[in-house]
Amino acid sequence: MKKVAVYPGSFDPITRGHMDIIKRSSEIFDKLIIGVLNNSSKKSWFSVEERISMIKEVISENEKIEITSFSGLLVDFMKIKKADVIIRGLRAVSDYEYELQLALTNSILSDNNIETIFLPASREGLYLSSSIVKEVALLGGDISGFIDERLEKIIKNKVIETRRGSND
Ligand code: PNS
């Protein structure tokens, strides 16, 4: 039986840390579905279409990897996709409490049919988050160590757009 895993997240935007988790988990499972949360109540910099397009830009085509959005409960999305493993990256101890809460909630909601597997962040990904990328970009810092170079321009354009919006 094929083992299908879902790597869910906001990916606002995808960082080098996310890319590392995608690469490593796609080598472990038969299929990896990158589930991009489409949640109108959560304030994202990028629309779900933009976030998916950025992921497609940096993740080379691979028949084992599917990139798609989801809304509502993660467990419902997983049922539709016939997936039973959730992948989450773990950075510092500070991630643990929130991640444990997510993992236990999803386990209960799925009658213990869904397992969460944590992958430790690589050394390079340990300090990385989408929020840090956005903050550094907004303050004019160098984000090349945090995100793929193919996304730098898109992010810089978004900073200009955001600044224009806040000046209106
Ligand atoms: O990248 P993020 O923002 O840390 O990812 C969070 C995500 C998308 C994994 C989480 O918010 C999620 O699964 N949301 C879907 C709604 C849901 O299923 N909630 C119940 C579990 S708490």
Side-chain angles (χ1 to χ4, degrees), residues 11-95:
F11 304 102
D12 186 42
I14 183 170
T15 66
R16 288 189 188 277
H18 294 129
M19 289 170 68
D20 171 63
I21 299 287
I22 291 168
K23 181 176 179 296
R24 287 159 57 206
S25 49
S26 67
E27 283 162 5
I28 300 172
F29 293 92
D30 299 308
K31 182 166 181 181
L32 178 72
I33 300 169
I34 304 173
V36 183
L37 181 67
N38 185 5
N39 182 351
S40 50
S41 69
K42 201 167 172 183
K43 256 196 145 310
S44 313
W45 254 31
F46 296 94
S47 68
V48 73
E49 293 80 14
E50 287 172 319
R51 286 180 273 143
I52 287 181
S53 144
M54 284 190 281
I55 299 173
K56 287 188 172 162
E57 180 79 29
V58 297
I59 300 296
S60 355
E61 248 185 72
N62 179 338
E63 57 182 20
K64 283 173 78 178
I65 301 180
E66 179 184 334
I67 304 163
T68 187
S69 66
F70 77 99
S71 48
L73 284 177
L74 175 60
V75 290
D76 292 339
F77 171 67
M78 295 188 57
K79 211 177 206 172
I80 294 167
K81 292 291 184 185
K82 297 189 170 40
D84 51 13
V85 175
I86 299 170
I87 299 290
R88 294 287 284 171
L90 260 194
R91 292 164 302 186
V93 178
S94 51
D95 276 349

Side-chain angles (χ1 to χ4, degrees), residues 94-155:
S94 51
D95 276 349
Y96 186 71
E97 211 167 318
Y98 169 65
E99 293 298 337
L100 187 65
Q101 198 178 19
L102 279 189
L104 291 179
T105 307
N106 287 320
S107 178
I108 293 167
L109 287 176
S110 67
D111 286 332
N112 301 328
N113 283 315
I114 285 178
E115 199 63 80
T116 297
I117 295 186
F118 297 120
L119 289 189
S122 61
R123 267 185 306 164
E124 296 76 22
L126 263 185
Y127 57 93
L128 260 181
S129 72
S130 299
S131 318
I132 289 285
V133 172
K134 288 181 277 192
E135 181 161 346
V136 173
L138 259 184
L139 297 172
D142 178 10
I143 52 171
S144 59
F146 311 146
I147 53 146
D148 189 280
E149 56 272 10
R150 286 164 285 188
L151 302 181
E152 271 187 62
K153 202 162 168 42
I154 302 172
I155 291 173

